Amino acid sequence: MSWVDYLKPLSQGAWVTVQLAVFSTLLGGVLSFAAGIGKISSNWAIRSVAIVYIEVFRGTSLLVQLFWLYFALPIAGAAIGLDLRLPPVEAGVAALGLNIGAYGAEVVRGAIQAVRPAQHEAAAALNFTRRQALWRVILPQAIPEMMPSFGNLAVQNLKDTALASLISLGDLSFRAEQIRNYTQDSTTVYTIILFMYFGMALVLTALMRLLERTVTRWQRAGS
Amino acid sequence: MSNIGKLKRWTGTTALALVALSLAATASSAATLKEIKDRGYIRIAVANEIPYGFVDPNGDAKGAGPEVATAVVKALGIAPENIQWVVTNFSSLIPGLQADRFDMTAAEMAIRPERCDKVIYSEPDTSYGEGLLVLKGDPKGVHTYADFTKPGMKVAVMAGADQLGMMQKLGVPEANIVTINANADAISTVADGRADAYAATGLTAGSLAQKSDKVALAPDFTDPVIDGAAARSWGGFNFAQNSTDLRDAFNAELVKFKKTDAWKQILTSYGFTPEDIAGASAKTTEQLCTK
């Protein structure tokens, strides 16, 4: 087998990695906003849920979260009579998304709190409700501030998908291990996937740039 | 502040409840043969160990375990194309069965009393002895597992494999044992000097020795003597604790298949010796599970 023969199984794995990264980043994005806004809510119940979520998922190892969802949850589910066997892809997306969402929540909270108090006061003076102030005044200013950190987290998340290979998910790293086990050609296999991850990260960075341009459009229109 | 205090208590209670839940449960419910047939497919796990059970780059399952399993489940009325092969780490095989991630394993996992408490086994399919992979020319002069009791010697074993238990019984100190994740790491571990040798079954060590000219089988190797007998292992198929229905049906066909030449041919083609093949029927799972 030469290195050209590795490309077919590796690209099948790369496709799984792409799917994992896209879905978990989307899930993580939704959770970031939910928990980030929840953490500064005036309702203590919402605030507690957000804080518990952020601290638990940020404070425990992603690998252990994956194993817990994959190996421990089905047993715990059976004990209370529920079928909680998440298929590998769902377990991987859930663990990655929950984990990156907890980090993203702090980015969202930080950016919202960085909006100048005068903006809140102006919104109040114009008789905006709290919800209107959040959506029309605060978030449009906060989101551009979040973008560089979100870009970092998305790339981080892409690379974290490699951990999902340990729950028998056929991603890029998993395929690489399989070929390496068969051929023992560690240098070639690892070099190829290094470049494949790098290529995916470049595409992801470009996409995040595009998103950044979109959310900052109002700034350029105003000036 | 008081909110955070409450929160901490609440998190603690939840964590405790989850742990208690996990401990209370023994295993997730497993499917019976009839349920598997109705469902239309069976999930079989392999652990990427050449020649016991592995998946080649095309995704086809090969090895003594998968080939025998394919023949036996075919006799049970499940066509080979309805087998879903799941590749996992060796140390994830038993947890995966407990979590109902697959219906059985085909990894030729050695039948040991402590494992019989956690999962159930078919009758033995294979038997095999021990081996040792060393640097070419054996510069450290190792010939048996007991050589690693000497200070400064390092031996690698795979996580979850039997060799760890053997080393402990032989009195090899913890500091002399290097744990690796998979067989794929064995050659580089030995070739780069992170360990002086890799302890594995004779067939695993033999197949690894063929893959690289930096490593070789230890010359004049003698099987370790543990509890007064030369170590020999019997590999079988594992099922979840409550899968007795599937296990019994599988066993009936396995015993029949072991009497055929097809079974012998599969084992021979993967390097099992006539001694290994004759040995495979020398003991029963019941004997091997007894402490």
Side-chain angles (χ1 to χ4, degrees), chain B residues 6-18:
Chain B
K6 258 185 236 162
L7 207 67
K8 275 187 180 158
R9 240 172 296 142
W10 190 81
T11 331
T13 326
T14 321
L16 271 178
L18 288 174

Side-chain angles (χ1 to χ4, degrees), chain A residues 115-129 133 137-138 141:
Chain A
V115 174
R116 273 175 293 146
Q119 297 286 328
H120 290 266
E121 287 159 17
L126 290 170
N127 214 12
F128 278 40
T129 62
V137 179
I138 309 301
Q141 296 180 67

Side-chain angles (χ1 to χ4, degrees), chain B residues 26 123 162:
Chain B
T26 45
E123 285 303 310
D162 299 327

Side-chain angles (χ1 to χ4, degrees), chain A residues 61-104:
Chain A
S61 149
L62 173 57
L63 187 61
V64 180
Q65 290 165 15
L66 267 172
F67 282 168
W68 205 91
L69 283 179
Y70 192 71
F71 291 117
L73 186 65
I75 298 176
I80 51 172
L82 289 174
D83 184 7
L84 295 178
R85 273 176 303 156
L86 293 177
V89 183
E90 274 85 333
V93 168
L96 288 163
L98 284 164
N99 191 271
I100 212 72
Y103 284 95

